[in-house]
Amino acid sequence: MTDQLGPLLRQLRNQAGLTQEAVAERSGVSVRTIRRLESATNIDHRLGTLNLLADALELGPADRELLATMLARAGTPAVAMTQAAPAAPGPTGSASEPPRSPSDRAPVSAPPAAVLAAADALAREARRRWQREEERRQVHDPFPLPLRWRSAPAPLMDYAVNIQRLPPGATAQLDLGGELHSVAEVYRRIRSGRLVILGRAGSGKSILLIRLVLDFLATLSLPDRVPLIFNIGTWDATTTTLREWLIGQLLRDHPHLARRTPDGPTLAAALVDADLILPVLDGFDEIAEGLRRDALEALNATSLPLVLTSRRDEYADAVRGVGAPLNWAAGIELVDLTLDDLRAYLPRTARPAGRDETVAGWEPVLEQLRTRQSPAGGVLTKVLTTPLMVALARTMYSEAPGRDPAELLDSVRFPSVESIEKHLLAGFVSAVYRPWVPERNAGGSRSRNGNWNPQRAGHWLGFLAHQLMRPNQPRRDLAWWQLGDSLRRSTRIAAVTVASALCIAGATWTIGLVTAQADRGQVLLEGAMMGLSAGLAFGTVYAAIIAFGGTFQPAHVRLRLRRGRSGRVRPPARAFTLRFAVVLLGGFVMGVGCACAIAVVRARYWDIPLTSPEAIRAALINMLVFGLIFGLAVGLVFGLLAALEVPVDVSFAATPVHLLSANRTTVGQQVLILAPALALTIAFGGRLVVNLLQGPLGPLSWELPDALIIGAAGGLGSALSYAFCFTAWGQWVILCRVWLPLTGRLPWNTIAFLEHAYHRGVLRQSGAVYQFRHFRLQEHINHSYRER
């Protein structure tokens, strides 16, 4: 049991809010010894050492008894441990051990190795991601803005004794003061692990969260909780529990967590259930107004350690609606930047080599703000009190050559705070998309996507922002597979109909011309008729799917016939049944269209009138036979495809580009499986159907050469139609790479534009989706787009 004692000691230290260095200073035990004990590499558990650690951690009777039990299981007498002196009074003056809720203590047994490995991988990925984000935000260039905060108003935070989880009769004084570099230290002083960060738009909440996560990860030692930032604005507490939502966000951002553990649940579920995730919930104010009260009540129903950010007014309204703030939660509120902060920061951002010598820079502007020589200076002072506005001013005037910040003091042009903010937000896009020379790649050529026209880039960004600002429920997540949802339903159905018609017609033409079974004119006519009928069939199926709320998410699956340990839970038969039923209808309609095409070809090339009794009887029989052949074949194949889908068992960094690439690969694999499977099923399954119907319908012909040609054309065309019309990648291609660029709402190379916006700081990445750098920027760009 020695392998469990180390995690227990680490857990108790984390609950006390102490670092290894702090415990070493209190106990007199060296940091190296503490590190070896917690990592279970030291199996010589001396009672004296452990007693010193227990005293330093101020453990109560319950924790000492648990530690004694672990020592006994390890083969060490525990008498000295159980008889140790009670914990000394802490800073609060109470000698009693604060009660701990069940959620504050992780299980005694260590999580499985696979779960710990997944947590370690998440921690590394989070560290890399947010370090890159800090670099792109230029947080440390030339130095971090001095973010400060004060304790939130008393009505918006719980009592100090509740926050510190103290017993009845205890008293507490909670010190929450600090600056950006000490945010992790302040959080560790909160015994409940629950913190609410309040601030107005652009006040630096996101920067504070990033620094909290990075500082926390710097000293992380598993099984400590891994802090991960989630945008809580997408959570609907009335339909989804917090646990389910967290698991869903993990699966979206990290698809490899869909692998199953030996015990059955996915890695994402195992991480949440093992209490290895510290949710850092950003944007409570972005939840729909009618859902905020339910969200706060759902959070109050848990004791899960978490960090929550929100604008003050929106959070205060939710607190008034519930009648209480977040249980056990401390609260801090970011304060404005001061004029001294601006005088220390802005001049150092305008490097001499990057400015025109005729431009004076920030010094004259800041001097006017200090002396308050004009009303315009007072207006500008009010604007430059948030990190967002300071960052926008820096981008427009410190980094753009030839721009003089003195124009911000023009009281005629900028008479109010709102006018200056609008100017800075509007000029941000122009400044970011100013012309620049792209770097040469390894081959010596320059990228063609290095420059984007500022006006057109602003228009495209406005369209993207407009898709996120839905009435009563604005979103932050810009997912590439959801961009096509902005189009009208009729437009999407028409696009799918045309795409599927072209796929079937192209496949029929290709197979017909390669096999040369008929003259070219007959092949072209057959392909056109087949494409028309198939387009109507697939368009009907697509309309039925979206009418019932169906969506096409990226496929985080691969296909394999043999299941390993991770696939113990078989896919339900319901998946096969639903897929079979829906596709059977489309396949039958496609077969009917094939029969109609054959009738038209016979009338054109065999001189058989369509109105003759023989032609009508033959057409009706062919409609039934071809409908059954195509319907049963595609229903069976697509149903089995659903049964063979299992979670991907490879790990990769979930970025939008990687997810798009992975989804494209998955769709390609599906086409390679579907095309031959459908071709063979149509060819040989058709023989079985024909044999069964020979008696009731009379003599029927289904020769093998013709059957293989029909099967090849139908299989290839159906597989391509499925790929382009019923997968997330296919919808991306036909809607976002063709239709939206044709109508001017997006550029032709959309993903390159999104990546460029990400690298230039307009967008940020959150797992597999993009987000605008600031919600305030998203709101302004959407407003400007609607005005145009």
Side-chain angles (χ1 to χ4, degrees):
M1 302 298 294
T2 58
D3 59 337
Q4 298 179 5
L5 186 58
L8 176 60
L9 287 171
R10 187 182 305 112
Q11 175 192 338
L12 294 173
R13 175 176 59 78
N14 291 333
Q15 289 175 350
L18 298 174
T19 63
Q20 292 177 340
E21 290 76 11
V23 175
E25 183 178 353
R26 288 189 177 191
S27 64
V29 180
S30 68
V31 175
R32 180 179 180 184
T33 300
I34 296 173
R35 186 176 296 115
R36 293 181 63 188
L37 285 170
E38 292 187 353
S39 63
T41 58
N42 186 349
I43 61 174
D44 182 14
H45 303 297
R46 301 178 185 231
L47 295 180
T49 301
L50 294 177
N51 275 319
L52 289 173
L53 295 178
D55 293 338
L57 295 174
E58 301 178 1
L59 298 184
D63 287 331
R64 289 175 181 270
E65 182 178 354
L66 179 60
L67 195 56
T69 302
M70 299 296 297
L71 281 170
R73 293 178 180 177
T76 303
V79 177
M81 198 72 216
T82 58
Q83 294 178 350
T92 61
S94 172
S96 302
E97 167 67 8
R100 304 182 191 272
S101 67
S103 68
D104 288 338
R105 177 175 291 130
V108 174
S109 59
V115 179
L116 288 176
D120 184 57
L122 277 179
R124 292 197 305 270
E125 174 60 25
R127 187 180 298 111
R128 288 194 299 267
R129 176 181 300 170
W130 296 116
Q131 283 175 345
R132 291 196 300 268
E133 187 65 25
E134 268 199 338
E135 293 172 358
R136 291 191 174 93
R137 289 173 180 251
Q138 298 178 303
V139 172
H140 298 283
D141 181 18
F143 58 87
L145 276 169
L147 292 181
R148 305 181 190 88
W149 57 81
R150 58 173 177 259
S151 294
L156 300 184
M157 58 186 293
D158 207 340
Y159 298 117
V161 288
N162 292 341
I163 295 170
Q164 297 299 76
R165 310 303 300 273
L166 299 177
T171 59
Q173 292 182 351
L174 189 60
D175 180 16
L176 297 177
E179 295 186 0
L180 181 63
H181 63 83
S182 63
V183 59
E185 179 184 346
V186 171
Y187 177 74
R188 289 190 179 97
R189 293 201 294 263
I190 302 172
R191 306 241 2 218
S192 66
R194 292 160 76 89
L195 173 65
V196 176
I197 301 174
L198 302 176
R200 60 194 179 105
S203 59
K205 297 185 294 294
S206 298
I207 295 175
L208 193 65
L209 285 190
I210 294 174
R211 180 39 45 192
L212 171 63
V213 168
L214 289 176
D215 288 348
F216 210 91
L217 290 171
T219 59
L220 183 72
S221 179
L222 293 175
D224 291 350
R225 298 182 182 94
V226 178
L228 295 178
I229 299 178
F230 301 94
N231 178 250
I232 198 176
T234 62
W235 181 35
D236 183 355
T238 62
T239 60
T240 309
T241 65
L242 180 62
R243 173 187 177 274
E244 293 171 346
W245 181 78
L246 289 174
I247 293 173
Q249 296 296 296
L250 286 173
L251 291 174
R252 184 204 69 181
D253 296 342
H254 308 276
H256 64 279
L257 296 181
R259 285 184 296 167
R260 295 194 175 274
T261 64
D263 295 331
T266 62
L267 283 174
L271 286 167
V272 174
D273 293 338
D275 202 18
L276 289 174
I277 302 298
L278 173 61
V280 181
L281 307 175
D282 188 20
F284 178 83
D285 53 282
E286 296 170 23
I287 298 177
E289 183 177 358
L291 298 175
R292 291 179 196 143
R293 176 176 176 178
D294 298 298
L296 185 56
E297 289 178 342
L299 293 176
N300 279 339
T302 74
S303 57
L304 180 71
L306 57 87
V307 179
L308 181 72
T309 73
S310 176
R311 296 184 187 179
R312 173 176 170 172
D313 292 342
E314 285 81 351
Y315 180 72
D317 289 341
V319 169
R320 284 191 291 269
V322 174
L326 183 63
N327 290 347
W328 305 307
I332 60 175
E333 184 176 10
L334 291 167
V335 298
D336 292 342
L337 297 173
T338 66
L339 184 57
D340 290 338
D341 297 332
L342 301 180
R343 295 176 64 186
Y345 181 80
L346 285 174
R348 290 177 59 177
T349 63
R351 269 77 172 194
R355 292 189 293 115
D356 190 331
E357 293 182 359
T358 61
V359 177
W362 285 102
E363 287 81 0
V365 175
L366 295 173
E367 181 63 22
Q368 286 203 37
L369 299 186
R370 186 186 66 83
T371 57
R372 301 180 182 180
Q373 297 177 1
S374 63
V379 173
L380 182 58
T381 301
K382 294 179 181 179
V383 172
L384 298 180
T385 54
T386 64
L388 171 60
M389 290 301 152
V390 173
L392 295 178
R394 167 187 175 156
T395 301
M396 287 189 63
Y397 295 102
S398 294
E399 300 177 6
R403 299 294 299 269
D404 189 353
E407 68 182 21
L408 294 173
L409 297 174
D410 186 346
S411 58
V412 176
R413 184 179 176 187
F414 305 116
S416 64
V417 170
E418 291 74 16
S419 61
I420 297 181
E421 288 183 346
K422 185 176 181 180
H423 167 70
L424 293 177
L425 288 167
F428 176 69
V429 174
S430 300
V432 165
Y433 285 94
R434 64 180 181 269
W436 61 289
V437 180
E439 296 181 358
R440 296 184 182 273
N441 56 27
S445 61
R446 299 186 189 275
S447 170
R448 297 181 179 181
N449 299 315
N451 288 312
W452 301 87
N453 181 275
Q455 287 73 29
R456 299 183 68 185
H459 175 75
W460 294 328
L461 289 171
F463 171 77
L464 296 174
H466 185 62
Q467 307 319 304
L468 299 177
M469 302 301 292
R470 295 181 178 179
N472 301 323
Q473 192 172 4
R475 297 179 298 154
R476 290 292 304 274
D477 294 342
L478 185 64
W480 57 262
W481 61 91
Q482 294 176 342
L483 292 180
D485 295 344
S486 61
L487 295 172
R488 289 194 296 267
R489 182 178 300 180
S490 58
T491 302
R492 286 182 283 160
I493 295 174
V496 166
T497 301
V498 173
S500 57
L502 292 176
C503 290
I504 296 294
T508 304
W509 292 334
T510 301
I511 299 299
L513 295 176
V514 169
T515 57
Q517 293 293 316
D519 63 71
R520 185 169 300 178
Q522 181 176 341
V523 171
L524 294 177
L525 180 59
E526 288 179 350
M529 294 301 300
M530 286 288 295
L532 178 61
S533 59
L536 294 175
F538 283 104
T540 302
V541 173
Y542 182 85
I545 291 176
I546 63 174
F548 288 99
T551 58
F552 302 100
Q553 300 293 330
H556 305 313
V557 299
R558 74 173 185 178
L559 305 177
R560 63 181 182 187
L561 298 177
R562 189 176 180 181
R563 299 184 184 280
R565 294 180 179 178
S566 62
R568 290 182 179 181
V569 181
R570 293 185 177 181
R574 185 168 176 268
F576 173 85
T577 304
L578 289 177
R579 185 80 65 89
F580 179 84
V582 173
V583 177
L584 174 66
L585 174 62
F588 189 88
V589 175
M590 182 177 172
V592 171
C594 181
C596 295
I598 292 176
V600 172
V601 170
R602 286 180 175 178
R604 171 67 177 81
Y605 289 95
W606 295 4
D607 297 327
I608 300 178
L610 289 174
T611 57
S612 66
E614 294 80 6
I616 294 176
R617 180 177 180 277
L620 292 176
I621 292 175
N622 284 339
M623 287 180 184
L624 176 62
V625 175
F626 277 104
L628 290 175
I629 291 174
F630 277 84
L632 293 173
V634 297
L636 177 64
V637 171
F638 280 102
L640 291 176
L641 179 69
L644 291 175
E645 292 178 350
V646 295
V648 173
D649 60 355
V650 295
S651 174
F652 59 91
T655 65
V657 174
H658 290 164
L659 182 57
L660 179 62
S661 177
N663 193 224
R664 180 174 60 246
T665 301
T666 299
V667 173
Q669 293 171 348
Q670 290 175 324
V671 170
L672 293 178
I673 293 175
L674 286 173
L678 285 169
L680 295 176
T681 306
I682 292 172
F684 294 100
R687 167 55 59 187
L688 296 178
V689 173
V690 167
N691 288 340
L692 291 175
L693 299 179
Q694 283 281 5
L697 299 181
L700 301 175
S701 174
W702 190 258
E703 299 297 333
L704 184 60
D706 294 335
L708 290 175
I709 293 175
I710 295 174
L716 179 60
S718 298
L720 292 176
S721 297
Y722 167 78
F724 284 107
C725 303
F726 297 95
T727 65
W729 175 80
Q731 291 282 287
W732 158 263
V733 171
I734 65 174
L735 298 179
C736 301
R737 293 301 307 274
V738 178
W739 181 255
L740 288 173
L742 275 175
T743 57
R745 283 172 278 188
L746 284 179
W748 286 103
N749 197 343
T750 304
I751 201 67
F753 174 72
L754 294 174
E755 280 293 288
H756 183 270
Y758 165 58
H759 289 291
R760 302 296 286 179
V762 181
L763 301 178
R764 59 183 287 262
Q765 286 183 2
S766 178
V769 300
Y770 295 99
Q771 294 176 347
F772 278 90
R773 180 176 177 179
H774 294 283
F775 188 65
R776 183 77 175 275
L777 181 63
Q778 175 181 320
E779 290 177 320
H780 172 77
I781 292 177
N782 168 66
H783 181 70
S784 300
Y785 178 81
R786 295 185 63 181
E787 285 185 342
R788 291 196 300 268

